[in-house]
């Protein structure tokens, strides 16, 4: 087969309601204009060869024998835990497609190019699953609609990481905005927002290397931590969860009304609730605080957040108002990756 398929998908940010969504509360997420692309083409040797390029901060290459039971030869280009995490989703997608749809392995090159930092709460795992599955299905001529790709990708994400809410795969597939309530995904038409994402991606040298290798499990660990605390402080946590639900509902109205002052204030309150449940590490807290001090309308942790034990790796989302330049400069001084982003971008795009 001498053809090349390219599937690309957007990154996501959770604007409101992360963690609380796990307990059935409303959450609002949006695609952003940072994309991940998977290119699938034929290769002469049998089996899958995976190449991951220009993911912010590292790259790697390996040979992957997809079928179960065979020896797998793994040649990491750089031994970095996040790299093996990205690969786990590619491997999971290939194995799933083999089992579910009987795709072959006559010699396939899978090349991934990404603008989405890893372990940052920006949906790189879901993006990898959706784009890999979409590209391979197209390459092997597997029939089905986009909704099927979304649910395939969600199955793989759950399989690889144990549990996953449907937010990330929905955004990667459909783009735009989604509101999630009691695990139901509803697509929303809302206006584009200009935001800044500040991403702490570097692991401090002082960090225990066994902890560094746990980073791939960051979301799982943080969700479990919230559950443990809730068992001790149940009624207090339930009030916090209800408050978050109300915040998300009000935020949707604020975006519809173009009321950015209210929207920003709701982001700040949401951030406070995330701090209260223990998912705001010092480095992310400082990024949010400095943004607020410099004049941001709102600043909050986005995604799973982080912990000091796991190096404070994670991201904040800022509604910058007039203070964008100084916020970006302050983030860079703090050692964070600062990205200007727009919400509501296009979903899955397949090119032959
Ligand atoms: O950081 P991320 O992109 O893995 O986001 C996790 C969001 C949570 O609400 C904490 C978990 C979930 O599955 O919804």
């Amino acid at each position: 087969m001498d053809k090349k398929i390219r599937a690309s998908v957007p990154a996501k940010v959770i604007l409101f309601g992360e963690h609380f969504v796990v307990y059935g509360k409303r959450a609002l997420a949006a695609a952003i204009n940072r994309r991940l692309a998977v290119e699938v083409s034929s290769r002469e040797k049998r089996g899958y060869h995976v190449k991951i390029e220009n993911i912010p901060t590292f790259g790697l290459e390996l040979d992957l024998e997809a079928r179960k039971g065979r020896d797998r030869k793994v040649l990491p280009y750089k031994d970095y835990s996040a790299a093996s995490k990205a690969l786990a989703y590619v491997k999971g997608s290939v194995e799933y497609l083999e089992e579910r749809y009987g795709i072959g392995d006559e010699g396939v090159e899978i090349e991934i190019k990404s603008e989405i930092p890893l372990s940052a709460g920006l949906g790189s795992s879901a993006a990898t699953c959706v784009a890999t599955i979409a590209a391979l299905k197209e390459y092997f001529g597997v029939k089905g609609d986009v909704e099927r790709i979304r649910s395939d990708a969600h199955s793989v994400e759950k399989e690889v990481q144990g549990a996953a809410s449907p937010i990330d795969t929905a955004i990667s597939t459909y783009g735009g905005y989604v509101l999630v309530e009691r695990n139901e995904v509803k697509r929303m038409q809302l206006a584009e927002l200009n935001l800044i994402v500040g991403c702490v991606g570097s692991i401090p040298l002082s960090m225990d290397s066994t902890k560094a290798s746990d980073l791939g499990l960051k979301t799982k660990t943080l969700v479990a931590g919230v559950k443990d605390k809730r068992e001790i402080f149940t009624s207090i946590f339930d009030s916090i969860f209800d408050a978050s639900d109300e915040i998300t509902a009000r935020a949707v109205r604020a975006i519809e009304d173009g009321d950015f002052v209210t929207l920003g204030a709701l982001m700040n309150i949401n951030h406070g609730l995330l701090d209260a449940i223990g998912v705001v590490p010092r480095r992310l807290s400082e990024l949010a605080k400095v943004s607020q001090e410099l004049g941001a309308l709102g600043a909050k942790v986005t995604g799973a957040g982080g912990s000091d034990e796991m190096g404070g790796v994670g991201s904040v989302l800022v509604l910058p108002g007039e203070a964008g330049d100084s916020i970006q400069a302050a983030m860079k001084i703090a050692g964070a990756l600062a990205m200007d982003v727009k919400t509501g971008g296009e979903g899955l795009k397949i090119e032959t």
Side-chain angles (χ1 to χ4, degrees):
M1 226 185 294
D2 193 21
K3 62 176 170 184
K4 196 172 199 163
I5 308 292
R6 184 173 195 274
S8 76
V9 296
K12 72 105 214 300
V13 288
I14 299 184
L15 293 159
F16 292 93
E18 51 275 270
H19 283 285
F20 312 112
V21 69
V22 174
Y23 298 85
K25 306 301 175 193
R26 280 170 283 193
L28 181 69
I32 53 170
N33 56 338
R34 288 283 180 284
R35 296 184 76 85
L36 175 143
V38 172
E39 278 178 17
V40 172
S41 56
S42 60
R43 77 191 275 240
E44 275 170 23
K45 272 174 77 183
R46 283 196 66 197
Y48 295 87
H49 179 254
V50 184
K51 201 166 155 191
I52 303 188
E53 266 182 33
N54 70 328
I55 284 180
T57 66
F58 78 95
L60 86 161
E61 198 172 333
L62 92 162
D63 249 312
L64 175 71
E65 278 293 332
R67 280 191 202 287
K68 285 207 171 90
R70 282 201 212 142
D71 284 337
R72 295 198 174 93
K73 202 166 94 194
V74 179
L75 304 167
Y77 164 75
K78 255 190 187 181
D79 186 15
Y80 179 42
S81 65
S84 54
K85 183 190 168 204
L87 283 170
Y89 292 98
V90 179
K91 210 163 76 170
S93 300
V94 169
E95 286 175 358
Y96 174 88
L97 293 174
E98 285 196 327
E99 266 167 40
R100 180 86 170 66
Y101 300 104
I103 66 162
D105 70 341
E106 73 262 29
V108 181
E109 187 73 39
I110 300 176
E111 199 169 332
I112 303 181
K113 294 178 182 163
S114 179
E115 302 167 343
I116 311 176
L118 295 169
S119 295
L122 300 179
S124 65
S125 313
T128 305
C129 295
V130 174
T132 305
I133 285 173
L136 284 172
K137 281 178 96 170
E138 183 72 23
Y139 182 83
F140 285 103
V142 178
K143 299 252 175 312
D145 57 8
V146 171
E147 174 52 24
R148 189 75 242 172
I149 293 172
R150 185 199 67 75
S151 68
D152 288 336
H154 189 217
S155 303
V156 172
E157 213 194 1
K158 277 194 289 198
E159 174 71 27
V160 175
Q161 68 193 33
S165 80
I167 305 179
D168 291 21
T169 38
I171 288 286
S172 292
T173 308
Y174 293 118
Y177 284 87
V178 300
L179 183 76
V180 178
E181 186 173 12
R182 282 186 230 97
N183 260 350
E184 291 292 315
V185 174
K186 190 170 138 206
R187 296 172 71 187
M188 305 278 293
Q189 298 290 337
L190 295 169
E192 182 179 284
L193 297 171
N194 291 309
L195 301 166
I196 296 173
V197 172
C199 172
V200 172
S202 56
I203 301 170
L205 281 177
S206 56
M207 191 172 151
D208 183 339
S209 60
T210 54
K211 290 266 168 32
S213 68
D214 284 347
L215 265 182
L217 301 171
K218 182 167 78 94
T219 298
K220 202 172 173 178
T221 310
L222 291 165
V223 169
V226 172
K227 184 167 174 273
D228 290 348
K229 286 205 190 89
R230 179 179 179 249
E231 269 158 29
I232 304 168
F233 302 109
T234 311
S235 62
I236 298 172
F237 269 48
D238 285 351
S239 307
I240 295 175
F241 295 175
D242 287 341
S244 168
D245 193 56
E246 176 68 21
I247 288 170
T248 303
R250 285 225 202 170
V252 170
R253 289 204 293 277
I255 300 174
E256 282 167 347
D257 296 345
D259 180 355
F260 300 117
V261 172
T262 301
L263 186 68
L266 292 167
M267 288 171 74
N268 292 337
I269 302 171
N270 189 163
H271 179 74
L273 299 186
L274 290 169
D275 201 7
I277 63 166
V279 297
V280 178
R282 184 175 56 80
R283 292 165 91 190
L284 296 184
S285 174
E286 283 168 4
L287 291 186
K289 201 42 105 192
V290 83
S291 302
Q292 289 160 354
E293 276 172 11
L294 288 169
L297 297 176
K300 67 180 281 286
V301 152
T302 184
S307 76
D308 292 320
E309 296 77 53
M310 286 189 281
V313 170
S315 299
V316 294
L317 187 64
V318 179
L319 183 63
E322 301 298 314
D325 290 346
S326 47
I327 292 169
Q328 289 240 11
M331 283 185 174
K332 283 175 194 152
I333 290 168
L337 176 70
M339 302 184 281
D340 268 321
V341 301
K342 277 187 199 316
T343 56
E346 196 181 351
L348 171 63
K349 236 168 64 182
I350 302 174
E351 296 153 77
T352 310

